[in-house]
Amino acid sequence: MEDSERTQLLSDHGPDISPRIVVEVPRGNASADPARKKLRSLQTSSTSALDTVEVPNNPQTYISNTHSISLEDNHLDRLKISNIQSLMHLLKGNIGTGILAMPIAVSYAGLWVGSIGILFLGFLATHCMHMLLNSSTHLRRRERKGPVDYADTFHLSLASGPPSLRKLAGAGRVTINIFLMMTQFGFCCVYILFVATNVKQLLHTVWADDPSLKVYIIAIGLLLIPYSLIRNLVHLAPFAMFANVLNAVGLIIIFQYIVRGLPNQNTRPADKSYEKLPLYFGTALFTYEGIGLVLPIENKMRTPESFTGWNGILSVGMVTICSLYSAMGWYGYLKFGDEAKGSVTLNLPTDQL
């Protein structure tokens, strides 16, 4: 027959013995294309010894379908982020307003206890991030799922867990989404208030009749709405890179001021009473706010295996972040002592540019 192959299968001589058919399928998702479906015609009888199977053979169909699949894979690959972009997103998601509150956090616990405690909390946060990633990967492979988010991870954990907890899987998904919305909403409120306060403080030095703080908050909120509509991390990567450059410039300016004229470390208490430790832990834990980005970053990476591991992107980024947090807390408290304010920028002089 034209454009077809006849595969002859020799069955055993004997009644009620069905022949075994082995069909090799080329690469290219042959089952998805109707033109490449195989027409199997099998005639079996107790006395026949020869059976036939017809398989259409059209090389052009395989080539065109393989080409279309390749183009689709290339398009999806362009929507993935590189290792450098992943690191930029991780740094931007963690280094925010929290780092500027490190001096007042250390003032609640003491110079040595506060600074070392920041590193310890950073180790716990990094360990929990790795546990989350490992659990997500294990569940995804076991359940044969694609990329999963936080709610999916919790849902799969309950659905495949003890029988008494499986009925709570649906409610668990909703609960995780509610908690995520609450935490992200709180972070955004803090960011907007922080930016509005600093912009007002800066403009007030040159504009005595500047508007009230509410006007700044509304204006900044309106400016952030178009930015928040960008959902793909690839398109957000340039903004994250630019934000990290601004963060670096701002931190350099702050550090070059607070490290000048430092008093002796013996002038600051190494520890304090436990009464203000809850304030210390609340302020320090607030700084490690980037855990909400861990799974989205890994899911959008071209090489997600590079994100985990002791020398992966997550570990390298968190070591950098924890070091900056501890240094800001140490030098900031050593410089300003108990006069450290909620944001170290409020301790900086306003008469110097």
Side-chain angles (χ1 to χ4, degrees):
M1 182 180 294
E2 185 178 358
D3 292 333
S4 65
E5 294 179 351
R6 292 185 177 275
T7 305
Q8 296 184 348
L9 303 174
L10 186 61
S11 63
D12 296 333
H13 293 285
D16 300 329
I17 298 180
S18 301
R20 186 175 61 183
I21 303 173
V22 179
V23 180
E24 294 184 0
V25 181
R27 297 181 61 184
N29 194 9
S31 61
D33 191 350
R36 293 160 58 188
K37 286 184 177 180
K38 299 166 181 59
L39 178 62
R40 298 180 177 87
S41 175
L42 182 62
Q43 299 176 348
T44 307
S45 64
S46 59
T47 58
S48 64
L50 187 62
D51 301 323
T52 62
V53 176
E54 291 184 356
V55 181
N57 185 18
N58 191 347
Q60 186 63 33
T61 304
Y62 289 96
I63 295 174
S64 61
N65 195 38
T66 303
H67 180 67
S68 63
I69 294 175
S70 178
L71 291 178
E72 183 180 357
D73 292 341
N74 291 335
H75 175 70
L76 294 176
D77 188 66
R78 285 195 298 268
L79 296 179
K80 300 290 185 178
I81 56 179
S82 63
N83 292 348
I84 296 297
Q85 291 173 333
S86 303
L87 181 61
M88 293 298 103
H89 283 299
L90 182 65
L91 294 177
K92 177 61 190 72
N94 284 273
I95 302 177
T97 58
I99 190 174
L100 303 178
M102 286 294 95
I104 193 173
V106 175
S107 69
Y108 295 142
L111 184 62
W112 284 98
V113 173
S115 300
I116 297 176
I118 292 173
L119 296 177
F120 178 72
L121 291 176
F123 170 78
L124 290 181
T126 306
H127 176 66
C128 291
M129 292 178 184
H130 280 287
M131 288 181 60
L132 175 64
L133 291 171
N134 293 335
S135 300
S136 173
T137 303
H138 174 74
L139 290 171
R140 186 172 67 246
R141 292 176 178 174
R142 188 178 67 181
E143 302 296 331
R144 297 181 180 179
K145 299 284 186 179
V148 294
D149 55 14
Y150 295 91
D152 292 333
T153 301
F154 192 59
H155 178 269
L156 291 175
S157 299
L158 294 179
S160 59
S164 58
L165 298 178
R166 293 176 183 176
K167 59 183 179 180
L168 303 176
R173 180 196 296 273
V174 177
T175 303
I176 293 298
N177 285 327
I178 292 176
F179 285 161
L180 283 174
M181 288 188 293
M182 291 174 60
T183 55
Q184 296 304 316
F185 181 77
F187 291 150
C188 290
C189 291
V190 172
Y191 270 101
I192 294 176
L193 181 61
F194 167 78
V195 175
T197 303
N198 283 270
V199 171
K200 178 177 174 57
Q201 181 187 23
L202 178 63
L203 293 181
H204 187 71
T205 59
V206 296
W207 185 13
D209 297 330
D210 61 322
S212 64
L213 184 61
K214 294 180 180 179
V215 176
Y216 288 97
I217 292 176
I218 295 174
I220 293 171
L222 293 176
L223 291 175
L224 290 177
I225 290 177
Y227 177 75
S228 62
L229 296 178
I230 304 175
R231 300 174 57 86
N232 196 291
L233 292 180
V234 173
H235 302 147
L236 286 174
F239 296 98
M241 181 76 72
F242 180 67
N244 285 325
V245 172
L246 295 182
N247 275 339
V249 173
L251 291 177
I252 291 174
I253 294 175
I254 294 173
F255 272 110
Q256 66 86 26
Y257 178 79
I258 65 177
V259 297
R260 290 184 295 177
L262 289 174
N264 192 285
Q265 66 182 28
N266 295 328
T267 60
R268 308 298 183 200
D271 59 345
K272 289 188 175 182
S273 64
Y274 63 89
E275 297 177 353
K276 291 188 176 182
L277 282 181
L279 288 174
Y280 165 75
F281 283 110
T283 306
L285 287 174
F286 167 77
T287 60
Y288 296 101
E289 57 191 84
I291 192 171
L293 282 175
V294 173
L295 281 181
I297 290 177
E298 187 199 32
N299 291 338
K300 293 296 183 179
M301 288 183 63
R302 295 194 189 109
T303 56
E305 62 275 3
S306 302
F307 193 64
T308 55
W310 69 271
N311 60 344
I313 295 174
L314 177 60
S315 298
V316 172
M318 290 305 298
V319 167
T320 305
I321 292 164
C322 295
S323 301
L324 287 174
Y325 285 171
S326 184
M328 179 64 74
W330 173 276
Y331 289 109
Y333 179 61
L334 191 60
K335 175 73 174 181
F336 302 111
D338 292 332
E339 297 180 358
K341 298 182 179 180
S343 174
V344 70
T345 56
L346 300 177
N347 291 105
L348 301 180
T350 58
D351 56 346
Q352 300 179 11
L353 183 61

